[in-house]
Amino acid sequence: AQSVTQPDIHITVSEGASLELRCNYSYGATPYLFWYVQSPGQGLQLLLKYFSGDTLVQGIKGFEAEFKRSQSSFNLRKPSVHWSDAAEYFCAAYHGNTGKLIFGQGTTLQVKP
Amino acid sequence: NAGVTQTPKFQVLKTGQSMTLQCAQDMNHEYMSWYRQDPGMGLRLIHYSVGAGITDQGEVPNGYNVSRSTTEDFPLRLLSAAPSQTSVYFCASSSKGLLNTIYFGEGSWLTVV
Protein backbone atom coordinates (compact mmCIF):
# COMPACT_ATOMS: atom_id res chain seq x y z
CA ALA A 1 0.00 0.00 0.00
CA GLN A 2 1.13 3.51 -0.69
CA SER A 3 2.44 5.39 2.32
CA VAL A 4 4.21 8.60 3.23
CA THR A 5 6.45 8.91 6.29
CA GLN A 6 7.83 12.01 7.93
CA PRO A 7 10.37 10.71 10.45
CA ASP A 8 10.68 13.93 12.43
CA ILE A 9 7.65 14.92 14.47
CA HIS A 10 9.18 18.12 15.82
CA ILE A 11 12.20 20.16 14.68
CA THR A 12 13.67 23.29 16.21
CA VAL A 13 16.07 25.52 14.29
CA SER A 14 17.51 28.94 14.94
CA GLU A 15 16.40 31.82 12.80
CA GLY A 16 18.76 32.18 9.86
CA ALA A 17 19.85 28.55 9.98
CA SER A 18 19.23 26.11 7.18
CA LEU A 19 16.36 23.65 7.29
CA GLU A 20 15.73 20.19 5.93
CA LEU A 21 12.49 18.31 6.56
CA ARG A 22 12.48 14.67 5.63
CA CYS A 23 9.84 12.77 3.70
CA ASN A 24 9.93 9.18 2.55
CA TYR A 25 7.35 7.54 0.35
CA SER A 26 6.42 4.03 -0.58
CA TYR A 27 4.77 3.67 -3.96
CA GLY A 28 5.24 1.26 -6.83
CA ALA A 29 4.71 3.63 -9.71
CA THR A 30 5.98 7.14 -10.39
CA PRO A 31 4.96 9.20 -7.40
CA TYR A 32 3.44 12.62 -7.54
CA LEU A 33 4.57 14.43 -4.40
CA PHE A 34 3.61 17.57 -2.56
CA TRP A 35 4.63 19.67 0.40
CA TYR A 36 2.01 21.68 2.28
CA VAL A 37 2.37 24.12 5.16
CA GLN A 38 -0.20 24.86 7.83
CA SER A 39 -0.02 27.73 10.29
CA PRO A 40 -1.86 27.31 13.59
CA GLY A 41 -5.60 27.46 13.14
CA GLN A 42 -5.28 27.83 9.40
CA GLY A 43 -5.85 25.72 6.33
CA LEU A 44 -3.30 24.10 4.05
CA GLN A 45 -1.08 26.03 1.69
CA LEU A 46 0.75 24.31 -1.15
CA LEU A 47 4.50 24.97 -1.05
CA LEU A 48 5.57 22.93 -4.06
CA LYS A 49 4.87 19.80 -6.05
CA TYR A 50 6.77 17.27 -8.10
CA PHE A 51 5.27 15.43 -11.02
CA SER A 52 8.17 14.63 -13.32
CA GLY A 53 11.27 16.11 -14.91
CA ASP A 54 13.82 18.08 -12.94
CA THR A 55 14.24 16.44 -9.55
CA LEU A 56 14.90 19.75 -7.80
CA VAL A 57 11.65 21.63 -7.42
CA GLN A 58 11.34 25.27 -6.44
CA GLY A 59 8.40 26.46 -4.40
CA ILE A 60 7.03 29.52 -2.72
CA LYS A 61 8.55 31.31 0.28
CA GLY A 62 12.08 30.25 -0.70
CA PHE A 63 11.50 26.52 -0.23
CA GLU A 64 12.79 23.79 -2.50
CA ALA A 65 12.57 20.02 -2.49
CA GLU A 66 14.61 17.30 -4.12
CA PHE A 67 13.13 14.05 -5.38
CA LYS A 68 15.50 11.10 -5.01
CA ARG A 69 14.06 7.92 -6.43
CA SER A 70 16.96 5.78 -5.16
CA GLN A 71 16.23 6.85 -1.60
CA SER A 72 12.44 7.12 -1.96
CA SER A 73 12.72 10.60 -0.52
CA PHE A 74 11.35 14.06 -1.18
CA ASN A 75 13.02 16.29 1.39
CA LEU A 76 12.09 19.93 1.83
CA ARG A 77 14.86 22.51 2.27
CA LYS A 78 15.29 26.17 2.94
CA PRO A 79 18.70 27.86 3.16
CA SER A 80 17.75 30.43 5.81
CA VAL A 81 14.73 30.06 8.05
CA HIS A 82 12.62 33.02 9.13
CA TRP A 83 10.55 33.19 12.30
CA SER A 84 7.42 33.24 10.14
CA ASP A 85 8.26 29.75 8.87
CA ALA A 86 7.21 28.26 12.19
CA ALA A 87 4.31 25.99 11.26
CA GLU A 88 3.40 22.39 10.58
CA TYR A 89 4.61 20.86 7.34
CA PHE A 90 3.02 17.95 5.53
CA CYS A 91 4.40 15.79 2.79
CA ALA A 92 1.80 14.08 0.61
CA ALA A 93 1.60 11.72 -2.34
CA TYR A 94 -1.09 11.66 -4.98
CA HIS A 95 -2.84 8.31 -5.01
CA GLY A 96 -3.66 7.40 -8.57
CA ASN A 97 -6.01 9.37 -10.76
CA THR A 98 -8.71 9.85 -8.11
CA GLY A 99 -7.91 13.16 -6.48
CA LYS A 100 -6.82 11.44 -3.26
CA LEU A 101 -3.77 12.45 -1.28
CA ILE A 102 -1.87 10.28 1.16
CA PHE A 103 -0.35 12.46 3.87
CA GLY A 104 2.58 11.99 6.17
CA GLN A 105 2.16 12.55 9.87
CA GLY A 106 3.46 16.08 9.72
CA THR A 107 6.52 17.86 11.12
CA THR A 108 6.15 20.80 13.47
CA LEU A 109 8.82 23.43 12.94
CA GLN A 110 9.78 25.73 15.78
CA VAL A 111 12.08 28.68 15.05
CA LYS A 112 14.28 30.05 17.83
CA PRO A 113 15.15 33.75 17.76
CA ASN B 1 -14.45 33.99 -5.17
CA ALA B 2 -13.99 30.59 -6.71
CA GLY B 3 -12.88 27.87 -4.38
CA VAL B 4 -13.96 25.25 -1.89
CA THR B 5 -16.41 26.40 0.75
CA GLN B 6 -16.89 24.51 3.98
CA THR B 7 -19.59 25.17 6.55
CA PRO B 8 -19.76 25.43 9.47
CA LYS B 9 -16.29 26.56 10.47
CA PHE B 10 -16.82 25.67 14.13
CA GLN B 11 -19.30 23.30 15.72
CA VAL B 12 -19.81 21.73 19.13
CA LEU B 13 -21.93 18.60 19.28
CA LYS B 14 -23.14 16.38 22.05
CA THR B 15 -22.44 12.67 21.88
CA GLY B 16 -25.11 10.96 19.83
CA GLN B 17 -26.19 14.01 17.89
CA SER B 18 -26.10 14.05 14.12
CA MET B 19 -24.88 16.76 11.83
CA THR B 20 -23.72 17.45 8.31
CA LEU B 21 -20.58 19.23 7.27
CA GLN B 22 -21.17 20.98 4.00
CA CYS B 23 -18.65 21.24 1.18
CA ALA B 24 -19.29 23.08 -2.06
CA GLN B 25 -17.08 24.00 -4.99
CA ASP B 26 -17.88 26.17 -7.96
CA MET B 27 -15.07 25.04 -10.25
CA ASN B 28 -16.91 22.10 -11.83
CA HIS B 29 -14.37 19.67 -10.35
CA GLU B 30 -14.97 15.98 -10.75
CA TYR B 31 -12.94 14.90 -7.72
CA MET B 32 -13.89 15.72 -4.15
CA SER B 33 -12.71 14.28 -0.87
CA TRP B 34 -12.96 14.62 2.89
CA TYR B 35 -10.05 14.40 5.33
CA ARG B 36 -9.78 14.61 9.07
CA GLN B 37 -6.74 16.01 10.82
CA ASP B 38 -5.64 14.81 14.23
CA PRO B 39 -2.43 15.66 16.12
CA GLY B 40 0.47 13.43 15.14
CA MET B 41 -1.52 11.66 12.45
CA GLY B 42 -1.52 14.10 9.58
CA LEU B 43 -4.59 14.18 7.39
CA ARG B 44 -6.44 10.95 6.80
CA LEU B 45 -8.90 10.32 4.02
CA ILE B 46 -12.47 9.65 5.11
CA HIS B 47 -14.41 9.40 1.83
CA TYR B 48 -13.88 10.51 -1.70
CA SER B 49 -15.79 10.91 -4.95
CA VAL B 50 -14.66 10.87 -8.57
CA GLY B 51 -17.91 12.26 -9.89
CA ALA B 52 -21.59 12.82 -9.23
CA GLY B 53 -23.24 9.64 -8.01
CA ILE B 54 -19.93 7.94 -7.23
CA THR B 55 -18.41 7.71 -3.77
CA ASP B 56 -15.95 5.42 -2.08
CA GLN B 57 -14.39 4.88 1.31
CA GLY B 58 -11.02 6.14 2.34
CA GLU B 59 -8.79 5.17 5.23
CA VAL B 60 -11.14 6.07 8.12
CA PRO B 61 -14.76 5.90 6.92
CA ASN B 62 -16.45 4.47 10.01
CA GLY B 63 -19.05 6.77 11.53
CA TYR B 64 -19.33 8.93 8.41
CA ASN B 65 -21.62 8.92 5.39
CA VAL B 66 -21.35 10.85 2.16
CA SER B 67 -23.33 11.36 -1.01
CA ARG B 68 -22.61 13.18 -4.27
CA SER B 69 -25.90 14.06 -5.89
CA THR B 70 -24.42 17.04 -7.73
CA THR B 71 -20.98 17.92 -9.02
CA GLU B 72 -20.82 20.96 -6.75
CA ASP B 73 -21.67 19.47 -3.36
CA PHE B 74 -20.14 16.74 -1.22
CA PRO B 75 -21.66 16.73 2.28
CA LEU B 76 -20.20 14.67 5.12
CA ARG B 77 -22.70 13.28 7.60
CA LEU B 78 -22.06 12.19 11.15
CA LEU B 79 -25.05 10.04 12.08
CA SER B 80 -24.28 9.63 15.79
CA ALA B 81 -21.37 11.77 16.89
CA ALA B 82 -18.73 10.32 19.21
CA PRO B 83 -15.92 12.09 21.10
CA SER B 84 -13.44 10.25 18.83
CA GLN B 85 -14.79 12.33 15.96
CA THR B 86 -13.49 15.52 17.53
CA SER B 87 -11.18 16.74 14.81
CA VAL B 88 -10.55 19.27 12.10
CA TYR B 89 -12.17 18.35 8.81
CA PHE B 90 -10.98 19.42 5.39
CA CYS B 91 -12.73 19.12 2.09
CA ALA B 92 -10.76 19.12 -1.16
CA SER B 93 -11.54 19.19 -4.85
CA SER B 94 -9.71 18.94 -8.14
CA SER B 95 -10.28 18.41 -11.81
CA LYS B 96 -9.92 15.01 -13.36
CA GLY B 97 -6.34 14.34 -14.31
CA LEU B 98 -2.99 13.95 -12.64
CA LEU B 99 -1.56 17.42 -12.99
CA ASN B 100 -4.39 19.57 -11.77
CA THR B 101 -4.27 21.66 -8.63
CA ILE B 102 -5.98 20.27 -5.56
CA TYR B 103 -7.96 22.93 -3.72
CA PHE B 104 -8.68 22.72 -0.01
CA GLY B 105 -11.40 24.33 2.04
CA GLU B 106 -10.48 26.31 5.12
CA GLY B 107 -11.44 23.54 7.50
CA SER B 108 -14.21 22.79 9.97
CA TRP B 109 -13.37 22.48 13.65
CA LEU B 110 -15.67 19.94 15.29
CA THR B 111 -15.81 19.17 19.00
CA VAL B 112 -17.95 16.33 20.33
CA VAL B 113 -18.58 16.46 24.07
Side-chain angles (χ1 to χ4, degrees):
Chain A
Q2 188 179 15
S3 66
V4 176
T5 302
Q6 293 178 246
D8 305 305
I9 296 173
H10 192 106
I11 283 183
T12 300
V13 299
S14 297
E15 190 169 15
S18 63
L19 171 70
E20 183 169 28
L21 302 182
R22 296 185 291 165
C23 173
N24 296 104
Y25 67 89
S26 171
Y27 191 53
T30 301
Y32 298 95
L33 300 165
F34 304 80
W35 273 101
Y36 287 89
V37 61
Q38 184 184 38
S39 298
Q42 301 298 311
L44 296 167
Q45 182 179 22
L46 179 66
L47 285 175
L48 48 79
K49 59 187 176 184
Y50 171 77
F51 283 140
S52 65
D54 193 347
T55 57
L56 186 62
V57 182
Q58 301 298 319
I60 62 171
K61 303 185 177 185
F63 285 92
E64 67 178 24
E66 186 171 13
F67 171 67
K68 293 185 178 180
R69 185 184 296 275
S70 61
Q71 299 178 17
S72 297
S73 68
F74 188 56
N75 294 349
L76 183 71
R77 302 194 295 246
K78 187 170 185 179
S80 177
V81 170
H82 188 263
W83 64 266
S84 60
D85 292 324
E88 189 160 21
Y89 292 80
F90 294 97
C91 182
Y94 195 75
H95 189 280
N97 192 10
T98 58
K100 298 188 297 183
L101 287 171
I102 307 297
F103 284 87
Q105 301 89 329
T107 298
T108 300
L109 173 65
Q110 183 179 1
V111 180
K112 294 190 301 183
Chain B
N1 290 336
V4 180
T5 303
Q6 288 183 234
T7 56
K9 192 170 179 67
F10 300 98
Q11 182 73 49
V12 179
L13 281 179
K14 294 182 179 179
T15 297
Q17 286 185 319
S18 63
M19 79 156 297
T20 299
L21 297 177
Q22 301 291 346
C23 177
Q25 51 89 11
D26 58 2
M27 297 171 282
N28 203 32
H29 286 168
E30 294 89 348
Y31 299 159
M32 296 186 75
S33 51
W34 276 104
Y35 299 85
R36 60 176 289 172
Q37 181 182 13
D38 303 291
M41 306 193 75
L43 281 79
R44 293 178 293 168
L45 182 67
I46 305 172
H47 286 284
Y48 68 101
S49 170
V50 297
I54 305 170
T55 64
D56 205 347
Q57 296 181 349
E59 181 184 359
V60 288
N62 292 341
Y64 306 95
N65 281 350
V66 292
S67 60
R68 185 93 180 271
S69 56
T70 67
T71 299
E72 294 77 20
D73 300 298
F74 191 44
L76 179 71
R77 299 183 185 86
L78 285 70
L79 299 179
S80 179
S84 62
Q85 294 178 302
T86 294
S87 188
V88 184
Y89 293 85
F90 288 96
C91 180
S93 77
S94 63
S95 293
K96 187 176 182 179
L98 290 171
L99 303 183
N100 293 305
T101 300
I102 300 171
Y103 293 83
F104 281 87
E106 295 186 343
S108 296
W109 275 253
L110 176 65
T111 301
V112 183
V113 298

